[in-house]
Amino acid sequence: MSVLGASVVLKLTPELAGILLSPEEFDAIEDCEELYTYELVHGVLVVAPPPDIGEREPNGQLGHLLRSYKEQHPQGAALDLTVFEHSIRTPDSRRRADRVIWTGLGRIPDTRRDQPTIALEFVSASKRDVQRDYLLKRDACRRAGVREYWIIGRFRRRMTVVRGGGTDPVTEIVVSEQETYSTPLLPGFELPLAQLLAAADAVKAAERP
């Protein structure tokens, strides 16, 4: 049961981390303290700092590659929409994904009802985040029916792709740094992993004194 009862939280702040919320209460909140990300995990509010530049820059680069595919590739119409920082909905949770992709609908998705086809995470260095992205969030996405979950590891220098959602069998593919990944969900799209890792390396190197 939510600790709020019939009351309504008007604004999310880091100080509220750990409170109980129903998915309906979480969805109804329209205001939050910026510079943080908010998730609902089994009814508990989880607050985290935003991704650092080593995750945001390759994410932006991936967005560019996807939009170029949509606009220029003969089969680019397979991509319906891609956005960054989107919540994956499960019955008791709202799990934040770094980027999501809808494919195969032939229309702009209803982002509150149409589950993304692909979700992905750029993994940070902390052990907690590695466990979250490789295990916990992966399982949440699979149960929600996300068909592919991409985990891009800047520190491990590889990408792990988990295929299969809902009742479909699960398979796992590991893409090394020098390999290019393709998926039948985006026919003709090619993802050169080294390009994303290089983008992350460049912005992090520029931060050094």
Side-chain angles (χ1 to χ4, degrees):
M1 178 182 294
S2 165
V3 298
L4 298 180
S7 63
V8 176
V9 175
L10 297 178
K11 183 175 183 178
L12 290 177
T13 66
E15 292 74 21
L16 295 178
I19 69 168
L20 301 181
L21 291 171
S22 70
E24 293 75 20
E25 288 170 333
F26 184 85
D27 293 342
I29 297 170
E30 297 181 351
D31 193 13
C32 66
E33 185 173 324
E34 297 182 358
L35 302 181
Y36 295 89
T37 62
Y38 303 89
E39 291 185 294
L40 188 69
V41 181
H42 304 307
V44 178
L45 180 67
V46 176
V47 184
D52 75 8
I53 189 67
E55 298 163 40
R56 298 196 309 271
E57 172 59 17
N59 197 355
Q61 179 69 17
L62 176 57
H64 170 72
L65 293 174
L66 287 165
R67 289 185 175 91
S68 295
Y69 162 79
K70 180 176 179 63
E71 294 168 2
Q72 300 173 16
H73 195 278
Q75 295 175 286
L79 172 58
D80 299 307
L81 184 69
T82 180
V83 297
F84 63 90
E85 291 294 311
H86 183 79
S87 290
I88 304 293
R89 294 167 170 256
T90 69
D92 66 350
S93 301
R94 299 293 184 263
R95 302 307 303 262
R96 202 74 165 171
D98 288 337
R99 179 171 292 279
V100 296
I101 302 166
W102 287 268
T103 71
L105 295 173
R107 57 174 171 80
I108 299 295
D110 179 340
T111 59
R112 292 181 65 88
R113 292 178 174 81
D114 294 322
Q115 204 71 277
T117 315
I118 301 169
L120 65 103
E121 293 290 329
F122 291 86
V123 184
S124 64
S126 78
K127 183 177 180 180
R128 182 191 67 180
D129 291 344
V130 168
Q131 182 184 37
R132 177 199 64 192
D133 294 336
Y134 277 94
L135 298 175
L136 304 179
K137 194 172 288 188
R138 179 184 80 170
D139 289 344
C141 287
R142 180 181 59 80
R143 290 195 304 270
V146 173
R147 295 176 63 186
E148 287 194 8
Y149 180 57
W150 303 356
I151 312 166
I152 299 175
R154 175 164 59 96
F155 300 95
R156 295 186 178 185
R157 314 301 291 183
R158 70 188 188 194
M159 170 178 169
T160 302
V161 177
V162 181
R163 290 180 174 174
T167 59
D168 294 338
V170 176
T171 59
E172 188 173 296
I173 301 167
V174 176
V175 182
S176 68
E177 181 172 358
Q178 299 304 322
E179 290 182 308
T180 297
Y181 177 68
S182 59
T183 170
L185 300 174
L186 294 168
F189 176 73
E190 295 185 340
L191 174 59
L193 182 58
Q195 184 173 333
L196 298 188
L197 297 178
D201 293 343
V203 291
K204 292 304 290 183
E207 292 183 337
R208 297 171 186 163

